[in-house]
Amino acid sequence: PALKQKVLITRSGWDHLVNPSRKRTKVEQARRFEVLPLARKLLEEAQTFQEHRKDHLGHYFAFVGYLGGRKIKVVVRSKTMQGQKYFFSVMIVL
Protein backbone atom coordinates (compact mmCIF):
# COMPACT_ATOMS: atom_id res chain seq x y z
CA PRO A 1 0.00 0.00 0.00
CA ALA A 2 2.80 2.49 0.78
CA LEU A 3 4.24 2.31 -2.73
CA LYS A 4 0.90 1.85 -4.53
CA GLN A 5 2.37 -0.93 -6.68
CA LYS A 6 3.64 -4.48 -6.45
CA VAL A 7 7.24 -5.02 -5.42
CA LEU A 8 8.98 -7.50 -7.69
CA ILE A 9 11.52 -10.08 -6.56
CA THR A 10 14.44 -10.31 -8.97
CA ARG A 11 17.80 -11.98 -9.28
CA SER A 12 19.44 -8.71 -8.22
CA GLY A 13 17.72 -8.78 -4.80
CA TRP A 14 18.48 -12.47 -4.35
CA ASP A 15 22.12 -11.94 -5.28
CA HIS A 16 22.33 -9.09 -2.76
CA LEU A 17 21.23 -11.52 -0.01
CA VAL A 18 23.48 -14.38 -1.12
CA ASN A 19 26.58 -12.58 -2.44
CA PRO A 20 26.67 -9.01 -1.13
CA SER A 21 29.46 -6.66 -2.12
CA ARG A 22 30.48 -6.60 1.57
CA LYS A 23 31.02 -10.08 3.01
CA ARG A 24 28.61 -11.26 5.71
CA THR A 25 29.11 -14.00 8.24
CA LYS A 26 27.16 -17.21 7.75
CA VAL A 27 25.22 -16.37 10.94
CA GLU A 28 24.17 -12.97 9.57
CA GLN A 29 23.22 -14.50 6.24
CA ALA A 30 21.11 -17.15 8.02
CA ARG A 31 19.33 -14.43 10.05
CA ARG A 32 18.36 -12.62 6.87
CA PHE A 33 16.98 -15.77 5.27
CA GLU A 34 15.10 -16.55 8.49
CA VAL A 35 13.17 -13.27 8.35
CA LEU A 36 12.69 -13.29 4.58
CA PRO A 37 9.04 -14.49 4.90
CA LEU A 38 8.36 -11.52 7.20
CA ALA A 39 9.58 -9.10 4.51
CA ARG A 40 6.57 -9.85 2.33
CA LYS A 41 4.18 -9.41 5.24
CA LEU A 42 5.75 -6.06 6.16
CA LEU A 43 5.50 -4.77 2.58
CA GLU A 44 1.87 -5.92 2.33
CA GLU A 45 0.91 -4.12 5.55
CA ALA A 46 3.08 -0.97 5.52
CA GLN A 47 1.23 2.28 4.95
CA THR A 48 4.39 4.42 4.72
CA PHE A 49 8.13 3.99 4.29
CA GLN A 50 10.45 5.27 6.99
CA GLU A 51 13.52 6.16 4.94
CA HIS A 52 14.29 7.27 1.39
CA ARG A 53 17.68 7.88 -0.16
CA LYS A 54 19.01 8.33 -3.65
CA ASP A 55 22.38 7.54 -5.18
CA HIS A 56 23.78 7.01 -8.68
CA LEU A 57 22.02 3.59 -8.93
CA GLY A 58 18.55 4.81 -8.03
CA HIS A 59 16.15 5.28 -5.13
CA TYR A 60 16.02 3.17 -1.97
CA PHE A 61 12.96 2.93 0.27
CA ALA A 62 13.21 1.38 3.74
CA PHE A 63 10.32 -0.11 5.69
CA VAL A 64 10.73 -0.88 9.38
CA GLY A 65 8.32 -2.82 11.57
CA TYR A 66 7.90 -5.34 14.36
CA LEU A 67 6.90 -8.78 13.10
CA GLY A 68 7.37 -12.18 14.67
CA GLY A 69 8.74 -10.55 17.82
CA ARG A 70 11.56 -8.91 15.86
CA LYS A 71 12.22 -5.49 14.42
CA ILE A 72 12.99 -5.90 10.73
CA LYS A 73 13.94 -3.57 7.94
CA VAL A 74 13.10 -4.21 4.29
CA VAL A 75 14.78 -2.22 1.53
CA VAL A 76 13.15 -1.74 -1.86
CA ARG A 77 14.93 -0.20 -4.82
CA SER A 78 13.87 1.53 -8.06
CA LYS A 79 15.66 3.41 -10.82
CA THR A 80 13.34 6.42 -10.56
CA MET A 81 11.10 7.72 -7.79
CA GLN A 82 7.94 6.52 -9.56
CA GLY A 83 9.52 3.54 -11.36
CA GLN A 84 8.95 -0.16 -10.78
CA LYS A 85 9.99 -1.23 -7.28
CA TYR A 86 12.19 -4.26 -6.60
CA PHE A 87 13.01 -6.08 -3.36
CA PHE A 88 16.63 -5.37 -2.42
CA SER A 89 17.32 -6.52 1.15
CA VAL A 90 15.97 -7.57 4.53
CA MET A 91 17.68 -7.42 7.92
CA ILE A 92 17.01 -7.68 11.63
CA VAL A 93 17.42 -4.32 13.36
CA LEU A 94 18.93 -4.63 16.81
Side-chain angles (χ1 to χ4, degrees):
L3 298 171
K4 297 181 178 45
Q5 65 177 267
K6 289 196 182 269
V7 174
L8 301 180
I9 308 292
T10 64
R11 182 67 187 216
S12 175
W14 179 257
D15 286 346
H16 182 76
L17 285 178
V18 177
N19 298 312
S21 58
R22 188 189 69 180
K23 276 292 189 197
R24 294 190 183 108
T25 66
K26 294 293 182 191
V27 172
E28 174 60 21
Q29 202 170 25
R31 271 192 226 129
R32 288 174 186 248
F33 283 117
E34 186 180 320
V35 296
L36 191 55
L38 299 176
R40 179 179 180 164
K41 186 172 174 92
L42 179 59
L43 290 175
E44 288 174 344
E45 295 176 358
Q47 298 298 316
T48 61
F49 51 88
Q50 284 68 39
E51 299 172 29
H52 170 256
R53 75 177 173 86
K54 181 182 182 304
D55 68 11
H56 66 282
L57 296 174
H59 294 261
Y60 297 84
F61 304 87
F63 299 84
V64 180
Y66 286 93
L67 292 168
R70 297 180 175 158
K71 185 176 181 182
I72 67 165
K73 181 178 191 177
V74 178
V75 180
V76 173
R77 187 167 106 177
S78 69
K79 290 186 180 183
T80 65
M81 185 70 170
Q82 301 302 322
Q84 179 62 57
K85 308 298 188 282
Y86 301 92
F87 169 81
F88 188 64
S89 190
V90 61
M91 63 208 79
I92 297 173
V93 181
L94 303 173

